[in-house]
C-alpha cells in the first residue's frame, strides 16, 4: 500500500507538512555519499520558488530558509538520509475563515473531504502548492549530484495565455531566464507576458501557460523499454505538480500532423560517436535516453483562486457565493519553473542510479 507521500525508487523523497502548519520538509534517501552539498545553491533554488519575488507573484513574504538536519558531514553527503525543514513564518490563516465550510471551485477541497472525511481549509492544507518547497530541496540535492556527472537541467516559461515563443530552445540564451520576472529567455516576449499577467491580476483573474524544460548531458541508456519508460517517469513527475494539466516531449502533439519521413531521426556516426541528424524524438527512443538533449513541455492551468465572486456550495449543499481573500498568484508559471527543474532532476538521478544498479 502507498499513501502517495514519497517519490522515486533508489533516489527517494518523502515530504511532510501543510500550507499553514508549523513547517514543511522532507527526507531524501539514496543520495550517494561524497556529493558536495552547496547550501547557497539549495537556498537559491528555494528563493526562485518563494512568494514575493515580483509584482506578478503573490505578496506572501516568507524567507523559506532551509535547514538540513542530517546526512551531511563537513560539507559532503554521507550516504545517510538527509532530513530537512523549512519553517512557515507568514501565514494569514484568518484569510481562509470564510472557506471553512464550502468547496472552492476547481480546488481539491471536495475531493480531499470525500476521500478523508476531514480537510484543512487554511490555504488548502496538504494540497497547497507550498508543499512544493520539499520538491525544490530534493531537486536541488539531485542537481548537485547531476552536476558532478555533467548533466544540466534548465526550465523556462515559453507561453503565457496566447503569448508564446515561436522558436525552440536552441535559439535562445537560456542563461538569461532569471533576468526577468516571467523567467522567459526572450526579453521582448517576456515584457508582453508580464503585461498580460498584470492585466489579469488587475481584473482579479488568473491565467495559465506552458513551461519548457531541457536536459543536457544525459547519457544514453536511462529508462526501460516496457514499463518505467523514461518519458513516462518524467510525465508522471510533471503531472504530480499542482496545476499541471498536460505533458508532451519531443515534437509532441504537433508531430501528429507530420509524416514519418519528416520526423524520423536519422542516425550518423561522427568521429566514432553516434548521433542523430535531428531530435524530433526529444532525446528518448523506445522509452530509453539516446544521448541527445531531452526536452519537454508542461501545461499549467490558470490558478483556481480568483479575487472575484464565484458561485459554489457549502458542506450542507447550499448554494453560496465565495469571495476569496488573501495573497494569491495571478499566474503560477514563474514560481513553477524551479519546481519543474527539481522534478526532472530527481527523475534523471533516480534513473541514473537504477541504470548503474542493473550493470555488474
Amino acid at each position: 500500500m502507498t499513501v502517495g507521500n514519497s517519490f522515486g525508487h533508489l533516489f527517494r523523497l518523502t515530504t511532510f507538512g501543510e500550507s499553514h502548519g508549523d513547517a514543511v520538509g522532507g527526507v531524501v534517501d539514496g543520495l550517494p555519499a561524497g556529493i558536495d552539498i552547496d547550501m547557497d545553491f539549495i537556498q537559491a533554488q528555494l528563493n526562485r520558488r518563494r512568494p514575493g519575488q515580483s509584482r506578478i507573484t503573490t505578496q506572501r513574504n516568507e524567507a523559506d530558509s532551509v535547514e538540513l538536519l542530517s546526512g551531511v558531514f563537513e560539507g559532503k553527503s554521507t550516504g545517510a538520509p538527509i532530513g530537512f525543514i523549512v519553517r512557515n513564518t507568514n501565514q494569514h490563516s484568518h484569510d481562509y475563515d470564510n472557506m471553512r465550510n464550502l468547496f472552492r471551485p476547481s480546488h481539491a477541497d471536495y475531493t480531499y473531504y470525500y476521500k478523508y472525511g476531514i480537510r484543512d481549509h487554511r490555504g488548502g492544507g496538504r494540497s497547497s502548492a507550498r508543499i512544493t518547497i520539499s520538491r525544490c530541496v530534493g531537486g536541488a540535492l539531485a542537481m548537485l549530484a547531476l552536476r558532478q556527472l555533467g548533466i544540466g537541467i534548465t526550465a523556462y516559461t515559453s507561453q503565457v495565455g496566447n503569448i508564446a515563443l515561436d522558436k525552440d530552445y536552441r535559439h535562445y540564451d537560456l542563461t538569461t531566464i532569471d533576468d526577468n520576472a516571467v523567467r522567459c529567455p526572450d526579453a521582448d516576449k517576456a515584457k508582453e507576458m508580464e503585461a498580460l499577467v498584470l492585466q489579469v491580476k488587475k481584473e482579479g483573474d488568473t491565467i495559465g501557460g506552458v513551461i519548457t524544460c531541457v536536459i543536457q548531458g544525459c547519457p544514453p541508456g536511462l529508462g526501460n523499454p516496457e514499463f518505467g519508460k523514461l518519458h513516462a517517469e518524467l510525465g508522471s513527475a510533471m503531472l504530480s505538480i499542482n496545476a499541471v494539466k498536460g505533458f508532451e516531449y519531443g515534437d509532441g502533439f504537433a508531430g501528429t500532423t507530420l509524416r514519418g519521413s519528416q520526423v524520423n531521426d536519422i542516425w550518423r556516426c561522427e568521429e566514432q560517436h553516434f548521433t542523430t541528424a535531428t531530435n524530433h524524438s526529444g532525446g528518448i527512443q523506445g522509452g530509453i535516453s539516446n544521448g541527445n538533449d531531452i526536452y519537454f513541455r508542461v501545461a499549467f492551468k490558470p490558478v483556481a483562486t480568483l479575487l472575484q465572486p464565484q458561485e459554489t456550495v457549502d458542506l450542507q449543499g447550499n448554494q453560496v457565493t465565495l469571495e476569496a481573500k488573501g495573497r494569491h498568484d495571478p499566474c503560477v508559471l514563474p514560481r513553477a519553473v524551479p519546481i519543474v527543474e527539481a522534478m526532472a532532476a530527481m527523475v534523471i538521478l533516480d534513473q541514473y542510479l537504477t541504470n548503474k544498479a542493473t550493470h555488474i
Side-chain angles (χ1 to χ4, degrees):
M1 176 181 176
T2 177
V3 290
N5 295 310
S6 298
F7 176 82
H9 305 284
L10 294 187
F11 179 89
R12 192 168 179 83
L13 168 69
T14 300
T15 73
F16 67 83
E18 297 84 35
S19 176
H20 288 238
D22 290 334
V24 297
V27 176
V28 167
D29 202 1
L31 184 70
I35 302 299
D36 292 325
I37 302 302
D38 184 343
M39 288 301 300
D40 290 337
F41 173 77
I42 297 172
Q43 188 59 56
Q45 288 300 100
L46 275 183
N47 292 346
R48 297 173 75 219
R49 192 225 70 95
R50 73 176 178 85
Q53 297 179 48
S54 71
R55 57 180 181 165
I56 64 171
T57 63
T58 172
Q59 293 308 296
R60 179 171 173 170
N61 186 20
E62 297 195 82
D64 289 352
S65 180
V66 62
E67 179 184 357
L68 301 190
L69 305 176
S70 62
V72 178
F73 179 67
E74 295 183 342
K76 292 184 181 292
S77 60
T78 64
I82 298 178
F84 62 88
I85 192 170
V86 175
R87 295 285 179 180
N88 292 332
T89 60
N90 191 235
Q91 310 100 312
H92 287 184
S93 298
H94 62 273
D95 286 343
Y96 299 88
D97 288 346
N98 66 328
M99 303 179 190
R100 176 184 291 272
N101 296 312
L102 55 78
F103 301 124
R104 294 170 296 170
S106 290
H107 282 78
D109 296 350
Y110 174 75
T111 52
Y112 263 58
Y113 184 76
Y114 190 90
K115 182 177 179 66
Y116 299 108
I118 185 173
R119 70 179 176 93
D120 183 349
H121 68 284
R122 303 165 305 167
R126 183 68 173 161
S127 69
S128 169
R130 181 156 181 78
I131 310 306
T132 58
I133 282 176
S134 301
R135 300 176 183 224
C136 284
V137 176
L141 289 168
M143 287 180 199
L144 291 175
L146 294 177
R147 178 190 292 177
Q148 295 186 198
L149 298 172
I151 300 173
I153 298 174
T154 306
Y156 61 91
T157 299
S158 54
Q159 182 172 343
V160 174
N162 61 355
I163 301 172
L165 300 186
D166 54 6
K167 302 180 182 68
D168 68 39
Y169 70 93
R170 294 169 299 176
H171 293 85
Y172 300 103
D173 181 358
L174 300 188
T175 66
T176 66
I177 291 164
D178 288 317
D179 290 352
N180 57 73
V182 189
R183 295 206 161 92
C184 172
D186 184 314
D188 293 332
K189 289 286 187 180
K191 291 177 182 178
E192 294 181 41
M193 292 174 179
E194 183 171 353
L196 177 58
V197 174
L198 289 174
Q199 179 60 38
V200 167
K201 179 181 179 180
K202 182 178 179 182
E203 297 168 358
D205 215 331
T206 62
I207 196 163
V210 176
I211 289 176
T212 296
C213 186
V214 184
I215 304 171
Q216 296 175 301
C218 183
L222 304 192
N224 297 291
E226 180 59 13
F227 302 110
K229 289 178 168 65
L230 182 55
H231 57 269
E233 295 292 315
L234 286 167
S236 177
M238 298 308 142
L239 290 166
S240 74
I241 300 173
N242 306 55
V244 168
K245 287 295 186 181
F247 169 85
E248 62 174 0
Y249 74 103
D251 282 356
F253 287 99
T256 63
T257 64
L258 304 175
R259 300 189 180 190
S261 56
Q262 295 174 287
V263 300
N264 275 0
D265 294 319
I266 306 302
W267 282 101
R268 293 176 177 173
C269 185
E270 300 174 355
E271 298 180 353
Q272 296 184 328
H273 175 71
F274 290 98
T275 185
T276 56
T278 54
N279 190 18
H280 297 286
S281 302
I284 303 172
Q285 294 173 325
I288 302 172
S289 62
N290 65 8
N292 288 333
D293 290 349
I294 296 171
Y295 63 94
F296 58 85
R297 290 165 296 281
V298 187
F300 285 79
K301 71 171 184 174
V303 178
T305 300
L306 311 182
L307 296 182
Q308 54 183 249
Q310 293 186 88
E311 296 302 311
T312 189
V313 295
D314 62 19
L315 293 176
Q316 290 73 43
N318 301 310
Q319 201 75 31
V320 295
T321 299
L322 166 65
E323 295 192 31
K325 303 175 183 178
R327 301 155 295 174
H328 305 282
D329 285 296
C331 179
V332 73
L333 274 76
R335 296 177 60 205
V337 164
I339 303 169
V340 168
E341 292 175 347
M343 296 306 295
M346 288 191 285
V347 168
I348 295 300
L349 179 58
D350 191 34
Q351 291 296 311
Y352 179 84
L353 295 173
T354 300
N355 199 50
K356 284 194 68 175
T358 61
H359 291 73
I360 297 177

